Amino acid sequence: MKVEISRRRFLQGSVAMSIAGGVSLSSSSIMASATSPAKKVGNEDKRVATLCEMCVNKCAAIAHVHNGVVEKLDPNPLFPKSRNMLCARGNSGIQALYDPDRLKYPLIRDGEKGSGKFKRVSWDEAYAYINEKLTKILDEEKDNRSTVAFCAGEGMAEHTFHSFFTMFGSSHFLNHVSLCLATTVSGYSLTIGGYGQADLDNAKYVIMAGANRAEAIVTPDTMDFFKRTKGRGAKLVTVDPRFTNTAAKSDKWLAINVGTDLAFVLALTYVAIKEEIYNKAFVENYFNGFDAYKEHILSNNYTPEWAEKITGIKAADIYQVARDFMVNAPQSIYYQGRRTTWSKNDFQLRRAQAIFSALGGGVDIKGGICFGKSLALAEHEIPSPMYAQAKPRIEKDEAAVVGGSGSWVAFRNMVLEKRSPYPIRALFNYKHNPMQNMPNNAKTAEFLKNLDLVVTIDTMPSDTVMLSDVILPECTYLERTDPVVSFGGIEPSIAQRNKVVDPMFESKPIMEIMRGLSAKLSKPLFEITKKYDEDVQSSIEDDGEDKVYGDFDLTKPFASSQEELNEHAVAKYEGAAEILKEKGVFYPNMNEYFKKTGVNDYEYYPDAKRAYSVKNNKFATPSGKVECSVPALAKKGIDAMPVWKKEYEMAVPAGKFRFVTGRHAQFTQSGTSNNRMLLNLVPENFAWINKRTAEKMGIKFGDKIEVASKVGKTTIKAYPTEKIGPDTLFFIHGFGNYSEALTRAYHNGGNDAAIIEDSIEPMHGASCLHDTIVEIRKV
Ligand code: SF4
């Protein structure tokens, strides 16, 4: 007898999701201007351990609450990752809570899309509206779940939103990765087995290219590292087209032409190989394909003299840096970078950086790139129903490897250009602002307007919120407990964001929003699956509807409270759940290891217990070694070894500029652009333009200029400076918002998403943020 296994029974499964994936300021003036319903709880003072959400770093904080009002945020010294520091943005988290512009109630669009007209509704009405639209779309699309897309910004609660996506059964999840560090993480992972952690505490020589830590990521390890530069233990070479604050704190600054870093790294590699100054024992033991790579570098003549013509960096400097790097190796690091994709060659750039670092032996060793350990958490099982009609993601062939976080630009453009094999009709958007984050915002606006349903869950009325149909107000990070997270590294720990005060207005944590929404949608959407899925129909005949529905019940991931899930996640560590509630941080032997060693210095692990070397001579690559060549990539049209191509030399026409963007110590992308405390420090962004160029154009400090590219224009004030080359223009990201509901950010400064062209690199379809030519005129 032939036994047929139903497709469903075969494919039905579950996804075990690790949750981890992995200045004191008074609030009195703020409270005076906010219509806050924060409850008075008598003269009660309390301290709550939480985690900052003002940028991705998640530093530990202690919130001081008086009479139900968060009055102060202090650093929590127990967390190895943030030691005892909160930066300016961290301190300004209070303003995220008490911003009068924050989203307060569920809203439904009540006018043309983009008109900014919304009506206040109850949560039930908002869910009912979504249900009505969604069932209509899915019925018309015959249960093709992939016609609904999901996108999310980075954050500890992304896991909760992703659980909803997993249960829903769409192929389209999009997050910040293809707008950020997709190429960096994969370049390092494919080459040395992981992105790793740069051990800046113990490195003796660091090359930091384009990574502006003194401004973009002002964390304790950044501050401690700069205590060691300039002849105090570690030598820092900064490679950047701009003289940044990081360059100012470096031992050497090398100004480089934009987009030419790969040529610089290949020339460093040439010197190391040609002069045989690399770590021969390390290469012998831990390299795969070194001879071919050596031949590749030498036969292509990637000499410093060749690189000088491309990069603008003197050949003598390249020789010197390569030799100094190897003299100090293995305590030498070519810093991986914590930032976006710049140019079409970005993936190969990161591969070349990783190989060059490894030539010095500085991988999985104290003072080099370390992989560290992490403290495992119990998993939260999420069922992953198989929807027979769900089609594969539309942009899967737009780059060599389009992973689970998609290629945002490729996806948007395919939908807009009607190249999609089936329609994309709805978008669920959590804490993400593609209008500001994705290049060419004119296209993004059109994309959002064309969709039948855009549901946005956020705390602030961003540009994307204003182009939505339904707005669901999430509470801020100080008003919710988030999934507990394990922070791997040299000094691993677990940390938890605890709720400090109750949610204000009618805002809710994402867990509650997902619980309410899934309860409303679950049965009606199952009715559609029943209608179109023959396998489900026959399963119901065999097993009964209740049993089959159990596999499709959207409410399942949200049955427990966040607090219960967190307790479950750390159950194997005795006492951890209580410690995390009280102190916000836990790691084994914490009581014994944690010591105050100076006025503001702490020790978390004794040196002998730190996870500098963990790989036991085997890297997490296919060969277990450093991969000089990845032939499998060649089959997908990607060079197996890093190669410089003539097309990478992007000439800047006379009178024009190559545009570069970046971050600033006081702002985190667009999420902080309405923050009054931060705007007091830096009121708007300015365009850096070379001083002599500006003089020739009659542009003075503070003059308004229009910056125009092929795709759009923006207006911004000029900052003429010697700190940038004559053919480069720079301003920080996140300003020039279009949303009138952001009273301080609205039309404040220049908007880079309006001018950056939407080109993608070939490996992951990540956005190339530095491949745009602009022209300027005084207005
Ligand atoms: S670096 Fe600053 S903004 Fe980022 S998490 Fe830490 S304190 Fe918050």
Side-chain angles (χ1 to χ4, degrees):
M1 189 178 83
K2 190 175 161 199
V3 177
E4 284 196 359
I5 299 175
S6 107
R7 172 188 50 78
R8 175 163 321 288
R9 285 188 208 118
F10 186 68
L11 292 171
Q12 199 90 25
S14 69
V15 181
M17 295 181 76
S18 163
I19 292 171
V23 183
S24 74
L25 293 161
S26 161
S27 65
S28 54
S29 60
I30 300 157
M31 290 307 297
S33 64
T35 49
S36 160
K39 285 184 198 142
K40 301 275 184 209
V41 289
N43 287 325
E44 185 190 324
D45 281 326
K46 64 174 180 176
R47 305 279 180 270
V48 182
T50 184
L51 292 180
C52 182
E53 195 181 52
M54 299 301 284
C55 89
V56 299
N57 207 52
K58 304 170 185 69
C59 298
I62 305 285
H64 295 230
V65 184
H66 180 63
N67 284 347
V69 175
V70 184
E71 294 194 332
K72 189 169 185 283
L73 295 169
D74 275 341
N76 177 354
L78 290 172
F79 194 26
K81 189 161 186 265
S82 59
R83 302 181 198 177
N84 193 34
M85 183 181 149
L86 285 185
C87 74
R89 286 171 295 170
N91 279 282
S92 76
I94 287 178
Q95 176 67 8
L97 172 63
Y98 296 126
D99 193 323
D101 292 344
R102 64 178 277 189
L103 295 167
K104 304 173 181 75
Y105 313 105
L107 301 167
I108 293 178
R109 180 166 62 84
D110 197 24
E112 286 296 298
K113 232 184 213 183
S115 64
K117 291 187 181 143
F118 294 91
K119 65 177 178 199
R120 180 178 167 181
V121 294
S122 68
W123 279 97
D124 271 352
E125 286 170 314
Y127 294 150
Y129 182 91
I130 296 167
N131 182 34
E132 187 188 327
K133 293 276 181 187
L134 214 50
T135 45
K136 182 171 184 295
I137 290 169
L138 283 178
D139 200 4
E140 287 171 0
E141 299 303 328
K142 300 185 170 37
D143 205 36
N144 176 10
R145 300 281 169 142
S146 301
T147 203
V148 182
F150 293 77
C151 67
E154 194 279 340
M156 291 169 73
E158 183 180 340
H159 163 81
T160 309
F161 180 72
H162 196 274
S163 303
F164 180 69
F165 155 79
T166 303
M167 283 297 306
F168 188 91
S170 169
S171 299
H172 293 115
F173 190 77
L174 299 135
N175 67 11
H176 69 292
V177 168
S178 68
L179 304 169
C180 191
L181 37 63
T183 50
T184 307
V185 171
S186 88
Y188 274 81
S189 299
L190 278 169
T191 307
I192 59 172
Y195 171 72
Q197 173 185 351
D199 181 15
L200 298 178
D201 283 348
N202 295 296
K204 291 196 267 181
Y205 193 92
V206 177
I207 302 171
M208 212 168 261
N212 184 9
R213 283 200 68 140
E215 292 176 76
I217 192 88
V218 187
T219 51
D221 52 336
T222 297
M223 307 307 282
D224 288 349
F225 179 59
F226 287 127
K227 288 181 202 160
R228 297 176 57 236
T229 60
K230 297 208 161 213
R232 292 172 291 184
K235 191 157 184 180
L236 174 63
V237 176
T238 291
V239 184
D240 201 302
R242 295 189 300 129
F243 186 74
T244 60
N245 281 345
T246 301
K249 307 228 168 289
S250 302
D251 299 87
K252 194 172 188 65
W253 169 53
L254 299 174
I256 189 166
N257 293 330
V258 180
T260 65
D261 293 64
L262 176 58
F264 173 69
V265 184
L266 291 171
L268 293 177
T269 308
Y270 179 93
V271 176
I273 291 175
K274 183 79 178 171
E275 298 186 358
E276 299 195 2
I277 52 177
Y278 58 87
N279 185 329
K280 293 204 178 86
F282 190 87
V283 168
E284 176 81 12
N285 290 324
Y286 302 116
F287 267 56
N288 182 35
F290 176 70
D291 288 343
Y293 194 58
K294 177 180 174 182
E295 166 64 18
H296 165 70
I297 295 289
L298 298 182
S299 65
N300 276 300
N301 259 330
Y302 290 140
T303 63
E305 291 77 11
W306 161 81
E308 178 177 329
K309 294 191 197 102
I310 297 167
T311 63
I313 298 175
K314 288 192 174 69
D317 283 329
I318 299 174
Y319 279 109
Q320 193 63 50
V321 170
R323 290 166 187 161
D324 289 349
F325 187 96
M326 292 302 164
V327 163
N328 288 286
Q331 276 69 48
S332 292
I333 298 171
Y334 199 113
Y335 182 66
Q336 306 98 305
R338 263 178 79 155
R339 58 164 299 158
T340 53
T341 298
W342 300 331
S343 299
K344 289 206 164 57
N345 59 36
D346 214 279
F347 171 72
Q348 299 295 3
L349 164 65
R350 309 306 171 173
R351 288 246 307 124
Q353 288 178 201
I355 295 171
F356 179 69
S357 263
L359 282 174
V363 181
D364 196 36
I365 193 168
K366 186 175 180 178
I369 294 172
C370 300
F371 300 106
K373 283 186 177 161
S374 56
L375 303 167
L377 300 179
E379 285 161 341
H380 178 198
E381 294 264 329
I382 309 292
S384 60
M386 174 69 191
Y387 292 93
Q389 316 304 327
K391 306 267 191 299
R393 65 185 317 149
I394 58 169
E395 84 281 27
K396 65 183 172 46
D397 298 324
E398 296 290 290
V401 180
V402 177
S405 48
S407 166
W408 234 132
V409 164
F411 174 82
R412 178 199 66 187
N413 290 358
M414 282 189 80
V415 175
L416 262 187
E417 293 157 12
K418 305 207 181 319
R419 290 189 287 119
S420 166
Y422 53 86
I424 301 296
R425 299 185 55 182
L427 180 73
F428 278 88
N429 174 36
Y430 172 54
K431 198 176 161 279
H432 194 45
N433 188 4
M435 272 296 290
Q436 267 279 355
N437 300 338
M438 207 177 350
N440 195 345
N441 61 15
K443 279 191 181 176
T444 308
E446 199 183 337
F447 163 80
L448 293 171
K449 282 180 184 171
N450 288 349
L451 294 172
D452 293 334
L453 176 67
V454 178
V455 179
T456 296
I457 303 156
D458 212 330
T459 59
M460 293 295 291
S462 69
D463 293 0
T464 303
V465 164
M466 300 312 275
L467 285 163
S468 303
D469 300 284
V470 184
I471 302 168
L472 305 178
E474 192 195 18
C475 57
T476 67
Y477 72 95
L478 291 170
E479 300 162 288
R480 60 176 201 253
T481 297
D482 273 343
V484 65
V485 170
S486 175
F487 292 85
I490 296 167
E491 298 178 295
S493 61
I494 297 169
Q496 180 167 296
R497 176 177 291 141
N498 293 304
K499 184 174 90 168
V500 176
V501 287
D502 286 337
M504 290 169 68
F505 309 102
E506 290 183 15
S507 64
K508 293 183 182 189
I510 184 70
M511 181 61 121
E512 279 183 38
I513 298 173
M514 292 292 100
R515 189 177 293 133
L517 184 61
S518 60
K520 192 77 181 180
L521 295 177
S522 193
K523 282 272 186 190
L525 294 190
F526 182 63
E527 290 300 320
I528 293 169
T529 299
K530 262 168 64 183
K531 189 169 163 186
Y532 294 104
D533 190 322
E534 290 173 7
D535 209 13
V536 165
Q537 291 159 9
S538 61
S539 293
I540 288 173
E541 275 174 30
D542 291 348
D543 302 326
E545 182 160 333
D546 285 353
K547 184 165 188 313
V548 177
Y549 172 68
D551 292 336
F552 293 87
D553 183 353
L554 290 181
T555 64
K556 273 187 172 172
F558 316 109
S560 304
S561 70
Q562 191 58 65
E563 288 76 9
E564 287 166 341
L565 290 173
N566 287 353
E567 283 172 23
H568 164 72
V570 299
K572 72 176 188 180
Y573 303 103
E574 199 184 339
E578 285 311 309
I579 291 171
L580 285 162
K581 281 181 213 161
E582 187 194 332
K583 300 178 190 293
V585 181
F586 168 84
Y587 55 94
N589 304 312
M590 190 172 159
N591 278 346
E592 181 192 336
Y593 292 169
F594 178 74
K595 289 187 181 76
K596 190 168 191 320
T597 57
V599 176
N600 192 26
D601 294 317
Y602 299 86
E603 182 178 286
Y604 298 91
Y605 281 79
D607 199 57
K609 298 285 182 188
R610 293 178 197 156
Y612 295 117
S613 304
V614 298
K615 289 294 173 193
N616 292 325
N617 303 326
K618 197 167 188 318
F619 298 145
T621 58
S623 68
K625 297 184 175 190
V626 175
E627 301 288 6
C628 291
S629 174
V630 185
L633 293 178
K635 291 185 198 133
K636 291 182 165 274
I638 304 292
D639 295 310
M641 290 191 271
V643 180
W644 181 261
K645 295 179 177 172
K646 198 74 186 155
E647 70 201 56
Y648 298 154
E649 292 169 43
M650 193 172 168
V652 180
K656 298 194 178 185
F657 304 83
R658 191 155 172 178
F659 178 70
V660 290
T661 185
R663 250 171 62 175
H664 188 277
Q666 273 71 50
F667 291 94
T668 303
Q669 328 299 13
S670 59
T672 54
S673 58
N674 200 58
N675 190 300
R676 177 183 292 170
M677 293 177 178
L678 298 175
L679 288 166
N680 280 342
L681 300 172
V682 179
E684 61 191 296
N685 60 350
F686 282 75
W688 288 36
I689 177 173
N690 180 269
K691 201 170 184 178
R692 281 159 288 168
T693 308
E695 269 168 20
K696 277 188 213 149
M697 298 180 77
I699 294 169
K700 297 190 293 298
F701 176 78
D703 282 350
K704 275 203 165 174
I705 58 171
E706 180 186 88
V707 183
S709 72
K710 272 188 205 158
V711 302
K713 53 179 83 160
T714 190
T715 305
I716 186 170
K717 288 181 186 161
Y719 168 49
T721 173
E722 295 285 9
K723 298 184 288 189
I724 193 165
D727 61 359
T728 308
L729 193 89
F730 165 84
F731 60 82
I732 58 170
H733 166 72
F735 283 75
N737 288 261
Y738 298 166
S739 167
E740 289 183 47
L742 297 168
T743 53
R744 287 174 292 283
Y746 175 60
H747 282 188
N748 182 35
N751 184 323
D752 62 353
I755 57 168
I756 299 176
E757 290 177 30
D758 44 333
S759 65
I760 56 172
E761 55 76 44
M763 180 63 185
H764 296 298
S767 298
C768 303
L769 297 187
H770 289 173
D771 279 353
T772 296
I773 302 290
V774 297
E775 52 192 344
I776 63 172
R777 70 179 179 92
K778 198 168 150 183
V779 291

